[in-house]
Amino acid sequence: MRDDKGAGCLDQELRMKLRRIPSVHSLMESPVGRELIERYGHAEVATATAELLDEVRRQYLQGNEPEDFADPDDLDGLFEKLYDRLFQRTRPNLQRVVNASGVILHTNLGRAPLPESVLDHVRMVATGYSNLEFDVQRNKRGSRQDHVEKLLRELTGAESAMVVNNNAAAVLLVLSAVASHKRVIVSRGELVEIGGSFRIPDVMEQSGAELVEVGTTNKTHERDYAKAIDEDTAVLLKVHTSNYRIIGFTADVSLERLVALGRKYGVPVMHDLGSGFLLSTDQPGWPDEPSVQQAIAAGADIVTFSGDKLLGGPQAGIICGSKELVAACRDHPLARALRIDKLTLAALEATLLLYRHPERAVDELPVLRMLRQNEEQMRQRAEQLLVRCRGSLGDSWTFELVRGESRVGGGAMPEYGLGTWMVRVQKRDRPAHVLQRLLLAADPPILTRIERDCVMIDPRTIVEWERETDWIVQALTAIS
Ligand SMILES: *Cc1c(COP(=O)(O)O)cnc(C)c1O
């Protein structure tokens, strides 16, 4: 039954409350309002104020008492909210995130973090003008490719090289330049999809090349390729199954054998290597991942890989191979559309320079450092963090050391688990998924992972130890 009289009273009370809400104009004309206008501009403050007052109004209409607006004569709470809102509106949305998940190449977190030395070079080059496409010695136009081509030749052993926006672009460009309107032979076991958006068959279609699938998902033999080769065949393509493994009853054709077959029929062999490992892996402690040098040495006519996976640099696509094929890529109209920008180029050059002395690359590039750290080092780090957490947080919290595995991620080395030690975080009355969300709501957000229903902090992917562990402890402390 509706009580008309009661509802009328409520309406009256509500109307009173709504009337107490100050106008946008009055807030903006107040001393604080003027100060804000000076800092953020009239339009920005007007929008933020209108939004905030709408929110207060909505709260009343929903039957709530809006926090910070209990007393109409005290506007401090409201102004604080306004400050907050303006700060959030005017600061960049792309922000630093602490990766405590233990996944080294997290594609959603921007893959490889860059070292200070690489960023110094970017800053130096981009703050002013640069010789991006200018040959200073000869006082004439140059090519942006010149800055890295020689380095790439030196490091990989390839005859020629060029760089583009990312590896997807590299594959698209090579196929467009070399195989458009022709046929490309690929094993059915290698028709990969990476990160939900890069699919070999789709890229093939875009390039105008015709995909010829040979073999089966688990087995492809040399004779399968040989049977498919005809005069329209432009490329034999091998794709590194970088984000999965086919195990069990399997057969594939090694790069060396494919190269021999290609030579026999006069068809170039392309290897989409994906991850771009550029260190020699024959020392203990490194995973068994094919390197770029190995692919070139095996005779691949063209090799493509990413700059921000195991190479540990910025997002880029690198094409290494024979003079003739790389020249065809450079001359193709798509090269301009897919070209690398100067910030990336500066970062890539600085990254590649580190590889001149591989120990420096391992010391300085975060991705390599994280891959290299052993279980004992991880245990010490985890223990440090554990001690800090226990010292700073009350007894509703439980912190423990647990053994676990970090992952390479980013579609590289899918089976390769790196032994690690983690801090298991539990809080009374806070289920793991709630705790995880609260840590993500911190500033900067902390990404953890959940294992066996507990939040885990893996020290392996913490990039700047002091700073990021401070942020972690602060974020935990802020959770009541
Ligand atoms: C990651 C990957 C790609 C896509 O590279 P992006 O740099 O992300 O564009 C293509 N092929 C393989 C085999 C890969 O592993």
Side-chain angles (χ1 to χ4, degrees), residues 407-424:
R407 303 226 65 95
V408 180
M413 308 186 204
E415 301 162 301
Y416 192 70
L418 299 130
T420 195
W421 284 85
M422 308 178 287
V423 178
R424 177 162 65 202

Side-chain angles (χ1 to χ4, degrees), residues 119-230:
L119 291 167
D120 285 345
H121 187 53
V122 176
R123 200 172 297 118
M124 187 62 178
V125 166
T127 303
Y129 297 100
S130 66
N131 63 340
L132 181 65
E133 291 188 342
F134 186 66
D135 185 335
V136 187
Q137 264 155 28
R138 291 193 287 168
N139 189 20
K140 55 186 247 198
R141 201 196 144 110
S143 160
R144 66 181 63 209
Q145 299 294 339
D146 293 348
H147 306 289
V148 288
E149 209 245 340
K150 189 157 160 276
L151 252 176
L152 280 167
R153 277 194 277 127
E154 236 178 79
L155 294 169
T156 65
E159 225 175 66
S160 183
M162 76 176 287
V163 291
V164 289
N165 178 59
N166 60 7
N167 189 34
V171 175
L172 176 65
L173 180 58
V174 174
L175 292 176
S176 305
V178 180
S180 187
H181 306 300
K182 298 223 178 98
R183 306 170 81 211
V184 175
I185 303 178
V186 194
S187 157
R188 287 204 169 86
E190 298 174 1
L191 292 171
V192 306
E193 169 176 313
I194 285 138
S197 55
F198 177 88
R199 286 177 154 192
I200 286 287
D202 297 346
V203 176
M204 198 83 72
E205 197 184 320
Q206 288 302 315
S207 72
E210 184 196 336
L211 171 67
V212 181
E213 300 174 23
V214 297
T216 60
T217 304
N218 61 330
K219 281 197 169 202
T220 303
H221 304 281
E222 216 168 305
R223 60 174 182 276
D224 297 322
Y225 289 96
K227 256 194 297 191
I229 295 175
D230 63 9

Side-chain angles (χ1 to χ4, degrees), residues 111 166-168 194 198 239-240 242 272 274-275 306 308-309 411:
R111 291 198 186 150
N166 60 7
N167 189 34
I194 285 138
F198 177 88
V239 184
H240 182 39
S242 49
D272 174 15
S275 38
S306 297
D308 55 356
K309 290 187 182 170

